Amino acid sequence: MILPFIPYSSEYYPTKETIEFFVWLNTNFKEDNKSAPVHYRMIDHINNTETKFKGLMASRGISKTTLVGVYYIAYLLWKGRKPNVKKFRSAIYVMDTITKAKITLSRVINLIKERPDVFGSKLEIVKSNLGDDPQLQIFHKVEKRNMWYIARGTGQSLRGTNLEERPDIILFDDIESEVNAGTDEARMKNLIWFFANALPAGRMGDTEFIFIGTPIHRDAIIYVISDGDGKGKKKLVNMGIDERYIPEWHFLKLPVAEKFPVDNPDDIVSCWEDRFTPKVIMQTYVQYKLVGMEHLFMQEYMLELIGSGQAIYDMDKINWVDYVDIKKSFNDLVFYISIDLRAKKDTERATKKHDDTAIAVIAIHRNTGHWFLIDGVRDKLSVDEALEWIFKFNRLYKPISIVFEEVVFQTLFSYILNKEMVKRGEFLNFDTIKRTINKLSVFKQFSSVVNNNAFWIVKKEDDNIYNDFVNELIDNQMPNITKMAILSEHDDVLDSIAQLILANLYLPEVEVDDDKNNRDWVNPYLI
């Protein structure tokens, strides 16, 4: 969970243990900028003994790696014990790449070597290695025992580190980046590694796990374990992790400013006034704004995946209805099948990450004009597989038309569809749409449906394929469409629905025959 934010403008009093650390730090080492209250909060949170699972969701540039990965660890080695703990023996430090982790480790090694006046009376370096097994082994002359600081990269095993005991601390520092977490598959791989390898490397109930980072995606580890959107635990349960064994992390959120944007730049309350003055914060923001990337500023500095006012869809305006209830109103609905086709020709399955076909069944109410998502499928479908789904949906819902975009490949698909109708003896109408505006503009037009409480999603408990379609839509695609850019990795599900905005939707009235009970029945197939 993310703990309640304490305004930077409020009075803050660090604990005795934190004060001792900063006295040691500021007495022995000179930095360009003096420590700020935000740094006291960081160390206070790490020293907290109420939980073993602690997180810092922190803005870029506030020296979290230097403060925690270098000086705080060096302090524990020097002291030989952690505040409120009898002794300190070892820590494992993890970054997104082993190269970056080695750099932080080398800074600690150099710090100890270059400052014998601080460390010489207490510490003796037994071994320092920046090769295949990067580690620092220290002998504490006062405590009379060995201590270790070991570096690893995301994806590497944290076990088999030749420690005498399992580590006292495992420190995760920006373990995901755009490079190693740029796809759904990569993020899932990282998440599995985190729970299957990284966490079991500690002594459960004893090892302290400290997670430092900036959110880069809703499926990033930091966002999932902090339950940033209230769906983190659900994602882990869906992975097969028993809810009883999912630890509750306590995250401290530390944005660059108490509030941003503000009406008057002079009202900005900075987390670190020496480095991030109101002028610097505004200049940084303007640099992002000039290239249409305000959302990245909000993500990197304010820790919001989409900045305030940037998302075009109000997800709270989406309505939900059970299938059994909406089925009673099928006579009042007009059905359409809408296709965003990304399949390859013939029976060859698409393999690229963007080559997904999305087929949506949308029903529109004759009287209210409300849209209902009734059914759907999203997969790397071949043309033959896509045809099977289309004819299945046609038999189930009797759509008035099938809609897809008028581009070269999809025009070819209409030719294939015509042949298939003759072959099967099943005939259906289809219409093509031609885009005269870009995709983001189409999504913005569809927001008028969503934000006016006119979009409904049908709930089906036992339809996994449809539920995957819905989850992709509401978890990954719709929340990541902003006024300035499409931030979602995929947009196929949303596109299959929103493109109906461009179609000529026809809502025929229901014919009422008051005399139907007085007429003889006639076989319509009798010629």
Side-chain angles (χ1 to χ4, degrees), residues 313 443-454 501:
Y313 297 116
F443 291 164
K444 288 180 179 179
Q445 288 190 23
F446 178 57
S447 70
S448 64
V449 176
V450 176
N451 297 342
N452 284 298
N453 294 105
I501 284 285

Side-chain angles (χ1 to χ4, degrees), residues 153-407:
T154 300
Q156 289 188 308
S157 176
L158 304 192
R159 305 178 189 181
T161 50
N162 297 320
L163 295 176
E164 293 177 355
E165 298 181 36
R166 294 203 179 192
D168 297 292
I169 294 174
I170 298 181
L171 173 57
F172 304 97
D173 185 2
D174 277 332
I175 63 174
E176 288 188 295
S177 66
E178 288 76 7
V179 176
N180 75 344
T183 65
D184 291 338
E185 294 78 9
R187 288 187 291 272
M188 179 58 69
K189 182 179 178 182
N190 292 342
L191 202 56
I192 292 173
W193 163 82
F194 184 75
F195 278 92
N197 185 287
L199 292 187
R203 295 188 304 273
M204 286 302 166
D206 193 8
T207 297
E208 293 197 13
F209 299 90
I210 302 170
F211 201 110
I212 304 172
T214 304
I216 61 172
H217 193 278
R218 292 181 185 274
D219 287 334
I221 295 173
I222 188 172
Y223 209 72
V224 172
I225 65 175
S226 68
D227 210 17
D229 56 3
K231 300 176 182 178
K233 184 171 289 188
K234 177 183 175 182
K235 291 177 182 179
L236 297 176
V237 171
N238 290 340
M239 288 172 55
I241 299 176
D242 193 317
E243 186 173 349
R244 294 172 298 175
Y245 306 130
I246 299 175
E248 184 174 61
W249 291 74
H250 289 194
F251 268 84
L252 203 61
K253 195 171 183 178
L254 302 168
V256 71
E258 185 174 299
K259 182 181 178 181
F260 193 89
V262 293
D263 295 332
N264 185 351
D266 292 335
D267 294 334
I268 293 175
V269 180
S270 171
C271 70
W272 189 4
E273 293 181 354
D274 276 14
R275 175 174 290 187
F276 291 108
T277 63
K279 181 179 179 181
V280 168
I281 293 175
M282 283 303 303
Q283 286 176 336
T284 305
Y285 172 73
V286 169
Q287 289 173 1
Y288 281 88
K289 185 179 176 65
L290 287 174
V291 292
M293 292 294 177
E294 300 102 312
H295 64 279
L296 287 182
F297 174 87
M298 299 301 294
Q299 173 182 305
E300 298 289 316
Y301 292 93
M302 292 303 295
L303 313 175
E304 300 291 344
L305 286 180
I306 293 182
S308 175
Q310 286 292 316
I312 66 172
Y313 297 116
D314 185 344
M315 302 300 288
D316 293 331
K317 296 290 183 69
I318 296 176
N319 307 294
W320 296 81
V321 60
D322 288 327
Y323 181 78
V324 292
D325 294 328
I326 194 62
K327 190 174 181 180
K328 300 172 185 176
S329 303
F330 269 17
N331 287 337
D332 297 322
L333 303 177
V334 178
F335 292 85
Y336 288 87
I337 295 176
S338 183
I339 308 169
D340 185 43
L341 194 63
R342 292 291 185 270
K344 293 186 178 181
K345 63 180 180 179
D346 302 327
T347 59
E348 183 181 0
R349 290 180 64 86
T351 56
K352 294 181 180 179
K353 69 176 183 178
H354 292 296
D355 285 342
D356 285 7
T357 289
I359 305 175
V361 179
I362 299 294
I364 300 179
H365 199 282
R366 300 173 192 272
N367 299 323
T368 66
H370 285 199
W371 292 36
F372 294 81
L373 173 58
I374 300 288
D375 216 329
V377 59
R378 172 185 183 259
D379 205 346
K380 295 176 173 60
L381 301 176
S382 68
V383 170
D384 286 349
E385 290 168 330
L387 288 171
E388 288 297 331
W389 278 103
I390 290 170
F391 282 99
K392 176 183 177 180
F393 288 151
N394 180 59
R395 290 189 294 270
L396 286 173
Y397 303 108
K398 303 300 180 185
I400 196 170
S401 181
I402 296 175
V403 178
F404 50 86
E405 187 178 359
E406 185 181 326
V407 293

Side-chain angles (χ1 to χ4, degrees), residues 337 390-391 394 399-400 402 417-418 421 426-430:
I337 295 176
I390 290 170
F391 282 99
N394 180 59
I400 196 170
I402 296 175
L417 183 58
N418 268 316
M421 286 192 295
E426 295 182 49
F427 297 94
L428 31 79
N429 296 320
F430 60 86

